[in-house]
Amino acid sequence: MSKTWPDNIARKAVLGFKPYSARGGATNALHLDANESPWAPPPVTQTGGFNRYPEQQPAALIARLADLYGVKPAQIMAGRGADEAIEVLLRTFCEAGQDSILTCPPTFGYFETCAAIQGAQTLLAPLRADFSYDGDLIAAEIRSAGRGLKIVFLCSPNNPTGHVIEPNIVTDLCQEFPEILIVIDEAYAEFSSADSFACQINQYPNLVVLRTLSKAYSLAGARMGVAIADPRVINLMLKVLPPYPIARPVEQAVMAALTPAAMPVHEARLKLWKSERTRMAKALSASSYVTKIYPSEANFLLLDIVEDEALLRALGKYQVKIRDFRQTLPGKMRVSIGSPQENDIALSAFGVEVKVVRPARTAEAHRKTKETDIAVRVNLDDAAGTKIDTGIGFYDHMLEALAKHGGFGLVLSCQGDLEIDAHHTIEDCALALGTALSRALGDKAGAGRFGFTMPLLKPLLMPMDETQAQVAIDLSGRPSMTFKGAFPTDHAGDFPAEMCPHFFESLSQTLGASIQIDVEGDNTHHMIEACFKGVGRALAPAFKREGTDIASTKGVL
Ligand SMILES: *Cc1c(COP(=O)(O)O)cnc(C)c1O
């Protein structure tokens, strides 16, 4: 049969294969179909330099990624997502029309797609019926495949099943087959309690670990993933990788999202994500559409579905997209874990009654200057999980007291220029905290906005041993601060006493509050502590959300 342009000149393999199907882009629907993060990444700081070509492997980025994954820079190749690492592996190691790879279906489809593009054959060693890896079968397939088999692709936690591989299977394969690359795709490692294989790179020159920033780090749109391997493997791959795969804005976005201060915030998000996975698995078991929920160590759940057409209609009605695997895996669909609010919508589509709880008022603030690098996450409706690290012991203690008595959860991490002094750290943390609190209060998605009481400058007395602090707060939106009191000494521990009023001044600015403090006593430590506790105590009722009677406090702001 004669072919038409340009099929007549294209590689035969390209004509033959089915393109990889992926959504890409977003619609107005609720997208729970591609295992993306529901949250925006921390913001990018602009630094310019776009007139120059970037390095093939930007050194600062590689150093940061090496630190993140606990490996050496020479053991990393960064590219446009883990997808590009898969592609480069195929192009580096598989001769077209000759070599092959091995995968364990059902698994991530891009392994086979890339192999087809490269003209490599894909051999299969399927997972067992319970989706566990069959190590003996994989070894047997490798032995019978012979020399053309170059790469074994394993995925753990596996997409779409959510299972993790037994570590022995991987290390046994690495040892038994030293001339075959054993690749572990760990795109979902952050969601799993299993250890990453990255720490074993030093032992096995044929082990390759793939990681991505698309899932746990909310950067699917930036395109950044890595291959981690023996430096000799990495060097070969760098020959095949295009000269400038990492655009400068991408590098900036990644560096901003991975700024050291942001790590506790990522941890807090992951904790929430995992608790939502547990909640969803439990709640979906009540759905009449779902007959089985597979245990998952990733940010998705694989489901056995009955009455699939009715479910698809329900999903359509609620505008929820999930991933439909029925073409290749009979009766199966996969739902990504979104934010609590998104998950509630998905549950409604699955016909599960959800108790209407208003979403917790959480917010984040990220602040990075030459002097400080700060990330803050607050939860006005859950005081658990407070974790503070500013580098100033006494300040950590005070912020903890503020959160504790204010009844809110606080994750705050700061890397400041303490080699100069404590001033920038104390001031900038106060500004960032006020911003986060004000965002959490004013996230105007209906419910939260007016649902808290407003103590209008009603003074609160905070006794502490010989000390007494009187505090009044008004969340009026108009910042102001008055402070009466004289400290007997100029420091409490590593905290300069003059920074106490300055802290509340800065907090009032970004929180949009009027704060009045009158403190008496003869111990500086006690006096400062009474101020922080007192302000906490005064904030608690101001932050409290009362019932659902939205109109009652309307107009107070
Ligand atoms: C999402 C996913 C990838 C792709 O990661 P990118 O870094 O976005 O290219 C790779 N492997 C698996 C198993 C995935 O699920």
PDB file of all heavy atoms in Angstrom, residues 34-35 80-84 86 108 111 155 157 159 185 187-188 211-215 220 223-225, ligand 1:
ATOM      1  N   ALA A  34      -5.270  13.418  36.802  1.00  0.00           N
ATOM      2  CA  ALA A  34      -3.865  13.336  36.406  1.00  0.00           C
ATOM      3  C   ALA A  34      -2.900  13.408  37.585  1.00  0.00           C
ATOM      4  O   ALA A  34      -1.723  13.707  37.406  1.00  0.00           O
ATOM      5  CB  ALA A  34      -3.536  14.420  35.382  1.00  0.00           C
ATOM      6  N   ASN A  35      -3.404  13.136  38.790  1.00  0.00           N
ATOM      7  CA  ASN A  35      -2.546  13.064  39.983  1.00  0.00           C
ATOM      8  C   ASN A  35      -1.741  14.339  40.225  1.00  0.00           C
ATOM      9  O   ASN A  35      -0.621  14.295  40.720  1.00  0.00           O
ATOM     10  CB  ASN A  35      -1.594  11.861  39.899  1.00  0.00           C
ATOM     11  CG  ASN A  35      -2.346  10.567  39.661  1.00  0.00           C
ATOM     12  OD1 ASN A  35      -3.541  10.506  39.930  1.00  0.00           O
ATOM     13  ND2 ASN A  35      -1.673   9.560  39.155  1.00  0.00           N
ATOM     14  N   ARG A  80      13.025  17.831  31.572  1.00  0.00           N
ATOM     15  CA  ARG A  80      11.641  18.294  31.574  1.00  0.00           C
ATOM     16  C   ARG A  80      10.729  17.176  32.066  1.00  0.00           C
ATOM     17  O   ARG A  80      10.081  16.478  31.291  1.00  0.00           O
ATOM     18  CB  ARG A  80      11.243  18.737  30.166  1.00  0.00           C
ATOM     19  CG  ARG A  80      11.891  20.067  29.787  1.00  0.00           C
ATOM     20  CD  ARG A  80      11.893  20.318  28.323  1.00  0.00           C
ATOM     21  NE  ARG A  80      12.825  19.423  27.645  1.00  0.00           N
ATOM     22  CZ  ARG A  80      13.313  19.650  26.441  1.00  0.00           C
ATOM     23  NH1 ARG A  80      12.977  20.716  25.770  1.00  0.00           N
ATOM     24  NH2 ARG A  80      14.150  18.786  25.900  1.00  0.00           N
ATOM     25  N   GLY A  81      10.712  17.000  33.368  1.00  0.00           N
ATOM     26  CA  GLY A  81       9.910  15.957  33.976  1.00  0.00           C
ATOM     27  C   GLY A  81      10.625  14.625  33.951  1.00  0.00           C
ATOM     28  O   GLY A  81      11.612  14.436  33.217  1.00  0.00           O
ATOM     29  N   ALA A  82      10.135  13.697  34.768  1.00  0.00           N
ATOM     30  CA  ALA A  82      10.646  12.331  34.731  1.00  0.00           C
ATOM     31  C   ALA A  82      10.420  11.753  33.339  1.00  0.00           C
ATOM     32  O   ALA A  82      11.174  10.897  32.875  1.00  0.00           O
ATOM     33  CB  ALA A  82       9.949  11.481  35.794  1.00  0.00           C
ATOM     34  N   ASP A  83       9.392  12.255  32.654  1.00  0.00           N
ATOM     35  CA  ASP A  83       9.110  11.797  31.290  1.00  0.00           C
ATOM     36  C   ASP A  83      10.333  11.950  30.384  1.00  0.00           C
ATOM     37  O   ASP A  83      10.638  11.067  29.587  1.00  0.00           O
ATOM     38  CB  ASP A  83       7.946  12.596  30.686  1.00  0.00           C
ATOM     39  CG  ASP A  83       6.595  12.117  31.197  1.00  0.00           C
ATOM     40  OD1 ASP A  83       6.561  11.105  31.933  1.00  0.00           O
ATOM     41  OD2 ASP A  83       5.584  12.754  30.854  1.00  0.00           O
ATOM     42  N   GLU A  84      11.012  13.094  30.495  1.00  0.00           N
ATOM     43  CA  GLU A  84      12.174  13.281  29.633  1.00  0.00           C
ATOM     44  C   GLU A  84      13.302  12.318  30.016  1.00  0.00           C
ATOM     45  O   GLU A  84      14.043  11.843  29.167  1.00  0.00           O
ATOM     46  CB  GLU A  84      12.686  14.723  29.668  1.00  0.00           C
ATOM     47  CG  GLU A  84      13.831  14.924  28.670  1.00  0.00           C
ATOM     48  CD  GLU A  84      14.080  16.370  28.292  1.00  0.00           C
ATOM     49  OE1 GLU A  84      14.193  17.212  29.199  1.00  0.00           O
ATOM     50  OE2 GLU A  84      14.153  16.655  27.077  1.00  0.00           O
ATOM     51  N   ILE A  86      12.884   9.302  31.073  1.00  0.00           N
ATOM     52  CA  ILE A  86      12.522   8.010  30.461  1.00  0.00           C
ATOM     53  C   ILE A  86      12.915   8.012  28.980  1.00  0.00           C
ATOM     54  O   ILE A  86      13.536   7.075  28.470  1.00  0.00           O
ATOM     55  CB  ILE A  86      10.998   7.760  30.615  1.00  0.00           C
ATOM     56  CG1 ILE A  86      10.635   7.618  32.099  1.00  0.00           C
ATOM     57  CG2 ILE A  86      10.565   6.523  29.809  1.00  0.00           C
ATOM     58  CD1 ILE A  86       9.136   7.670  32.383  1.00  0.00           C
ATOM     59  N   PHE A 108       2.718   2.455  34.302  1.00  0.00           N
ATOM     60  CA  PHE A 108       2.759   3.741  33.621  1.00  0.00           C
ATOM     61  C   PHE A 108       2.980   3.528  32.126  1.00  0.00           C
ATOM     62  O   PHE A 108       3.935   2.871  31.711  1.00  0.00           O
ATOM     63  CB  PHE A 108       3.913   4.536  34.229  1.00  0.00           C
ATOM     64  CG  PHE A 108       4.007   5.957  33.784  1.00  0.00           C
ATOM     65  CD1 PHE A 108       2.907   6.798  33.814  1.00  0.00           C
ATOM     66  CD2 PHE A 108       5.227   6.481  33.367  1.00  0.00           C
ATOM     67  CE1 PHE A 108       3.004   8.120  33.429  1.00  0.00           C
ATOM     68  CE2 PHE A 108       5.340   7.809  32.976  1.00  0.00           C
ATOM     69  CZ  PHE A 108       4.224   8.628  33.004  1.00  0.00           C
ATOM     70  N   PHE A 111       6.416   4.320  29.468  1.00  0.00           N
ATOM     71  CA  PHE A 111       7.586   3.461  29.210  1.00  0.00           C
ATOM     72  C   PHE A 111       7.460   2.837  27.818  1.00  0.00           C
ATOM     73  O   PHE A 111       8.385   2.891  27.001  1.00  0.00           O
ATOM     74  CB  PHE A 111       7.693   2.324  30.247  1.00  0.00           C
ATOM     75  CG  PHE A 111       7.721   2.773  31.690  1.00  0.00           C
ATOM     76  CD1 PHE A 111       6.978   2.093  32.658  1.00  0.00           C
ATOM     77  CD2 PHE A 111       8.504   3.846  32.088  1.00  0.00           C
ATOM     78  CE1 PHE A 111       7.004   2.483  33.989  1.00  0.00           C
ATOM     79  CE2 PHE A 111       8.539   4.247  33.418  1.00  0.00           C
ATOM     80  CZ  PHE A 111       7.776   3.563  34.366  1.00  0.00           C
ATOM     81  N   CYS A 155       7.971   0.517  38.680  1.00  0.00           N
ATOM     82  CA  CYS A 155       7.363   1.761  39.144  1.00  0.00           C
ATOM     83  C   CYS A 155       6.860   1.529  40.565  1.00  0.00           C
ATOM     84  O   CYS A 155       6.105   0.588  40.803  1.00  0.00           O
ATOM     85  CB  CYS A 155       6.219   2.122  38.199  1.00  0.00           C
ATOM     86  SG  CYS A 155       5.463   3.709  38.545  1.00  0.00           S
ATOM     87  N   PRO A 157       5.805   3.844  44.248  1.00  0.00           N
ATOM     88  CA  PRO A 157       4.481   3.251  44.123  1.00  0.00           C
ATOM     89  C   PRO A 157       4.045   3.220  42.656  1.00  0.00           C
ATOM     90  O   PRO A 157       4.279   4.177  41.933  1.00  0.00           O
ATOM     91  CB  PRO A 157       3.577   4.190  44.927  1.00  0.00           C
ATOM     92  CG  PRO A 157       4.498   4.900  45.873  1.00  0.00           C
ATOM     93  CD  PRO A 157       5.799   5.015  45.152  1.00  0.00           C
ATOM     94  N   ASN A 159       1.940   3.327  39.310  1.00  0.00           N
ATOM     95  CA  ASN A 159       0.801   4.000  38.708  1.00  0.00           C
ATOM     96  C   ASN A 159       0.251   3.050  37.647  1.00  0.00           C
ATOM     97  O   ASN A 159       1.013   2.660  36.757  1.00  0.00           O
ATOM     98  CB  ASN A 159       1.280   5.311  38.061  1.00  0.00           C
ATOM     99  CG  ASN A 159       0.175   6.088  37.397  1.00  0.00           C
ATOM    100  OD1 ASN A 159      -0.984   5.696  37.453  1.00  0.00           O
ATOM    101  ND2 ASN A 159       0.542   7.199  36.761  1.00  0.00           N
ATOM    102  N   ASP A 185      10.859   3.951  38.815  1.00  0.00           N
ATOM    103  CA  ASP A 185      10.157   5.220  38.695  1.00  0.00           C
ATOM    104  C   ASP A 185       9.467   5.502  40.028  1.00  0.00           C
ATOM    105  O   ASP A 185       8.520   4.823  40.409  1.00  0.00           O
ATOM    106  CB  ASP A 185       9.142   5.124  37.541  1.00  0.00           C
ATOM    107  CG  ASP A 185       8.440   6.449  37.283  1.00  0.00           C
ATOM    108  OD1 ASP A 185       8.366   7.277  38.212  1.00  0.00           O
ATOM    109  OD2 ASP A 185       7.951   6.637  36.161  1.00  0.00           O
ATOM    110  N   ALA A 187       7.874   8.352  41.006  1.00  0.00           N
ATOM    111  CA  ALA A 187       7.139   9.620  40.870  1.00  0.00           C
ATOM    112  C   ALA A 187       6.294   9.924  42.106  1.00  0.00           C
ATOM    113  O   ALA A 187       6.005  11.086  42.390  1.00  0.00           O
ATOM    114  CB  ALA A 187       6.248   9.578  39.630  1.00  0.00           C
ATOM    115  N   TYR A 188       5.909   8.887  42.854  1.00  0.00           N
ATOM    116  CA  TYR A 188       5.009   9.082  44.001  1.00  0.00           C
ATOM    117  C   TYR A 188       5.681   8.777  45.339  1.00  0.00           C
ATOM    118  O   TYR A 188       4.998   8.561  46.336  1.00  0.00           O
ATOM    119  CB  TYR A 188       3.751   8.215  43.824  1.00  0.00           C
ATOM    120  CG  TYR A 188       3.015   8.571  42.557  1.00  0.00           C
ATOM    121  CD1 TYR A 188       3.203   7.836  41.389  1.00  0.00           C
ATOM    122  CD2 TYR A 188       2.167   9.665  42.516  1.00  0.00           C
ATOM    123  CE1 TYR A 188       2.560   8.179  40.212  1.00  0.00           C
ATOM    124  CE2 TYR A 188       1.517  10.027  41.350  1.00  0.00           C
ATOM    125  CZ  TYR A 188       1.716   9.276  40.200  1.00  0.00           C
ATOM    126  OH  TYR A 188       1.076   9.640  39.040  1.00  0.00           O
ATOM    127  N   ARG A 211      12.734  10.572  39.795  1.00  0.00           N
ATOM    128  CA  ARG A 211      11.917  11.364  40.720  1.00  0.00           C
ATOM    129  C   ARG A 211      11.343  12.552  39.958  1.00  0.00           C
ATOM    130  O   ARG A 211      11.894  12.963  38.931  1.00  0.00           O
ATOM    131  CB  ARG A 211      12.763  11.884  41.894  1.00  0.00           C
ATOM    132  CG  ARG A 211      13.449  10.803  42.716  1.00  0.00           C
ATOM    133  CD  ARG A 211      12.478   9.983  43.540  1.00  0.00           C
ATOM    134  NE  ARG A 211      11.796  10.764  44.549  1.00  0.00           N
ATOM    135  CZ  ARG A 211      12.096  10.751  45.852  1.00  0.00           C
ATOM    136  NH1 ARG A 211      13.095  10.021  46.287  1.00  0.00           N
ATOM    137  NH2 ARG A 211      11.405  11.459  46.713  1.00  0.00           N
ATOM    138  N   THR A 212      10.257  13.111  40.474  1.00  0.00           N
ATOM    139  CA  THR A 212       9.643  14.250  39.803  1.00  0.00           C
ATOM    140  C   THR A 212       9.187  15.292  40.811  1.00  0.00           C
ATOM    141  O   THR A 212       8.887  14.959  41.958  1.00  0.00           O
ATOM    142  CB  THR A 212       8.433  13.805  38.958  1.00  0.00           C
ATOM    143  OG1 THR A 212       7.844  14.961  38.364  1.00  0.00           O
ATOM    144  CG2 THR A 212       7.384  13.100  39.793  1.00  0.00           C
ATOM    145  N   LEU A 213       9.144  16.546  40.359  1.00  0.00           N
ATOM    146  CA  LEU A 213       8.580  17.614  41.196  1.00  0.00           C
ATOM    147  C   LEU A 213       7.122  17.879  40.828  1.00  0.00           C
ATOM    148  O   LEU A 213       6.490  18.779  41.357  1.00  0.00           O
ATOM    149  CB  LEU A 213       9.403  18.895  41.033  1.00  0.00           C
ATOM    150  CG  LEU A 213      10.888  18.772  41.393  1.00  0.00           C
ATOM    151  CD1 LEU A 213      11.572  20.130  41.316  1.00  0.00           C
ATOM    152  CD2 LEU A 213      11.083  18.189  42.773  1.00  0.00           C
ATOM    153  N   SER A 214       6.602  17.068  39.887  1.00  0.00           N
ATOM    154  CA  SER A 214       5.241  17.322  39.384  1.00  0.00           C
ATOM    155  C   SER A 214       4.159  16.991  40.384  1.00  0.00           C
ATOM    156  O   SER A 214       3.093  17.607  40.374  1.00  0.00           O
ATOM    157  CB  SER A 214       4.978  16.476  38.135  1.00  0.00           C
ATOM    158  OG  SER A 214       5.828  16.850  37.095  1.00  0.00           O
ATOM    159  N   LYS A 215       4.403  16.013  41.213  1.00  0.00           N
ATOM    160  CA  LYS A 215       3.311  15.525  42.049  1.00  0.00           C
ATOM    161  C   LYS A 215       3.385  16.150  43.434  1.00  0.00           C
ATOM    162  O   LYS A 215       2.684  17.093  43.717  1.00  0.00           O
ATOM    163  CB  LYS A 215       3.363  13.988  42.093  1.00  0.00           C
ATOM    164  CG  LYS A 215       3.532  13.329  40.703  1.00  0.00           C
ATOM    165  CD  LYS A 215       2.257  13.332  39.897  1.00  0.00           C
ATOM    166  CE  LYS A 215       2.353  13.033  38.409  1.00  0.00           C
ATOM    167  NZ  LYS A 215       3.066  11.887  37.924  1.00  0.00           N
ATOM    168  N   ALA A 220       3.743  20.380  38.336  1.00  0.00           N
ATOM    169  CA  ALA A 220       3.511  19.652  37.078  1.00  0.00           C
ATOM    170  C   ALA A 220       3.661  20.563  35.860  1.00  0.00           C
ATOM    171  O   ALA A 220       4.149  20.149  34.813  1.00  0.00           O
ATOM    172  CB  ALA A 220       2.128  19.001  37.098  1.00  0.00           C
ATOM    173  N   ARG A 223       7.512  21.412  34.636  1.00  0.00           N
ATOM    174  CA  ARG A 223       8.247  20.325  33.988  1.00  0.00           C
ATOM    175  C   ARG A 223       9.663  20.189  34.555  1.00  0.00           C
ATOM    176  O   ARG A 223      10.616  20.787  34.074  1.00  0.00           O
ATOM    177  CB  ARG A 223       8.325  20.497  32.453  1.00  0.00           C
ATOM    178  CG  ARG A 223       7.029  20.780  31.748  1.00  0.00           C
ATOM    179  CD  ARG A 223       5.970  19.725  32.033  1.00  0.00           C
ATOM    180  NE  ARG A 223       6.409  18.387  31.670  1.00  0.00           N
ATOM    181  CZ  ARG A 223       6.345  17.329  32.479  1.00  0.00           C
ATOM    182  NH1 ARG A 223       5.869  17.431  33.708  1.00  0.00           N
ATOM    183  NH2 ARG A 223       6.771  16.161  32.079  1.00  0.00           N
ATOM    184  N   MET A 224       9.751  19.415  35.616  1.00  0.00           N
ATOM    185  CA  MET A 224      11.067  19.159  36.208  1.00  0.00           C
ATOM    186  C   MET A 224      11.063  17.780  36.859  1.00  0.00           C
ATOM    187  O   MET A 224      10.217  17.480  37.699  1.00  0.00           O
ATOM    188  CB  MET A 224      11.387  20.237  37.255  1.00  0.00           C
ATOM    189  CG  MET A 224      12.679  20.040  38.032  1.00  0.00           C
ATOM    190  SD  MET A 224      14.187  20.008  37.039  1.00  0.00           S
ATOM    191  CE  MET A 224      14.041  21.570  36.180  1.00  0.00           C
ATOM    192  N   GLY A 225      11.993  16.962  36.397  1.00  0.00           N
ATOM    193  CA  GLY A 225      12.155  15.641  36.987  1.00  0.00           C
ATOM    194  C   GLY A 225      13.597  15.222  36.826  1.00  0.00           C
ATOM    195  O   GLY A 225      14.353  15.862  36.082  1.00  0.00           O
TER     196      GLY A 225
HETATM  197  C1  LIG B   1       3.281  11.407  36.540  1.00  0.00           C
HETATM  198  C2  LIG B   1       4.281  10.352  36.297  1.00  0.00           C
HETATM  199  C3  LIG B   1       5.488  10.630  35.660  1.00  0.00           C
HETATM  200  C4  LIG B   1       5.720  11.938  34.966  1.00  0.00           C
HETATM  201  O1  LIG B   1       6.406  12.801  35.705  1.00  0.00           O
HETATM  202  P1  LIG B   1       6.849  14.199  35.059  1.00  0.00           P
HETATM  203  O2  LIG B   1       7.991  14.552  35.923  1.00  0.00           O
HETATM  204  O3  LIG B   1       5.686  15.114  35.190  1.00  0.00           O
HETATM  205  O4  LIG B   1       7.221  13.956  33.662  1.00  0.00           O
HETATM  206  C5  LIG B   1       6.450   9.657  35.579  1.00  0.00           C
HETATM  207  N1  LIG B   1       6.207   8.426  36.047  1.00  0.00           N
HETATM  208  C6  LIG B   1       5.048   8.106  36.627  1.00  0.00           C
HETATM  209  C7  LIG B   1       4.833   6.733  37.122  1.00  0.00           C
HETATM  210  C8  LIG B   1       4.031   9.050  36.751  1.00  0.00           C
HETATM  211  O5  LIG B   1       2.855   8.710  37.271  1.00  0.00           O
END
